[in-house]
Amino acid sequence: MLSLCAIPAIAQQCNGQVISTPDGMREVQDDALLKAALGEPGKGSLCTASVFEVDKPVRLFRVYNAAQPASLYGRWWSLQVPVGPRAQYAAENAICPEWSPLNAAATCTLKPGVRVVIGPGQSAQCASGEVLPASATNQVYVANDTRTQQTLVDNCSEPLVWP
């Protein structure tokens, strides 16, 4: 188990703020969903966040592992087109190398009525021992769960090799 003492103080602080309400969404209260998306320092997920409900279809972007096609329907997304190089994208989003090779990208649409959590990324302790500091980049947490066939996105594009 990783102790907070092993994580540099800079990585224990949030870096950035939740973006203003995205077009096609409205802020709502959902404590359970918010709790699912927030993480402790060194554990990844979000550092601080707000919950939003989709009022009209919203396009999202995902970079994921092409060797695991089901990972297209993962939980971590972006409102912005992903830009490389890969190492820069991983650093800006606090993504440890063992979590994904980040070699495929796709766009999907959030369905109206879906709730998501948006906020800057939490710090992450990678398997190598590297500590990625909390990120100012806002990420979108979508509670997709392919094990239970819960997919909250649709109209996905064909996967592209990325970057």
Side-chain angles (χ1 to χ4, degrees):
M1 175 177 252
L2 183 67
S3 78
L4 283 179
C5 295
I7 300 172
I10 187 97
Q12 294 184 38
Q13 302 169 2
C14 286
N15 181 14
Q17 300 177 355
V18 178
I19 60 173
S20 60
T21 304
D23 187 40
M25 297 184 193
R26 61 186 163 83
E27 192 168 349
V28 296
Q29 190 74 26
D30 188 329
D31 293 338
L33 185 59
L34 181 63
K35 183 178 178 181
L38 294 174
E40 298 175 20
K43 304 271 184 172
S45 298
L46 299 179
C47 191
T48 185
S50 295
V51 179
F52 298 92
E53 187 168 308
V54 178
D55 290 327
K56 62 181 182 179
V58 174
R59 192 163 122 174
L60 293 182
F61 303 89
R62 179 158 167 80
V63 179
Y64 64 100
N65 183 353
Q68 298 176 356
S71 70
L72 164 62
Y73 301 104
R75 295 183 175 188
W76 300 104
W77 296 76
S78 175
L79 291 165
Q80 286 79 39
V81 174
V83 177
R86 191 173 287 135
Q88 177 182 330
Y89 182 84
E92 289 173 353
N93 289 277
I95 301 170
C96 290
E98 66 270 16
W99 295 347
S100 175
L102 303 173
N103 58 6
T107 63
C108 297
T109 304
L110 277 171
K111 302 171 186 178
V114 167
R115 289 183 173 185
V116 299
V117 184
I118 301 175
Q122 179 60 275
S123 62
Q125 170 91 38
C126 301
S128 67
E130 177 185 15
V131 176
L132 301 175
S135 167
T137 302
N138 274 250
Q139 298 176 43
V140 182
Y141 174 85
V142 180
N144 287 325
D145 187 348
T146 55
R147 295 168 299 179
T148 62
Q149 284 73 46
Q150 177 175 305
T151 306
L152 305 175
V153 294
D154 59 10
N155 299 320
C156 296
S157 69
E158 288 295 317
L160 300 173
V161 173
W162 190 85

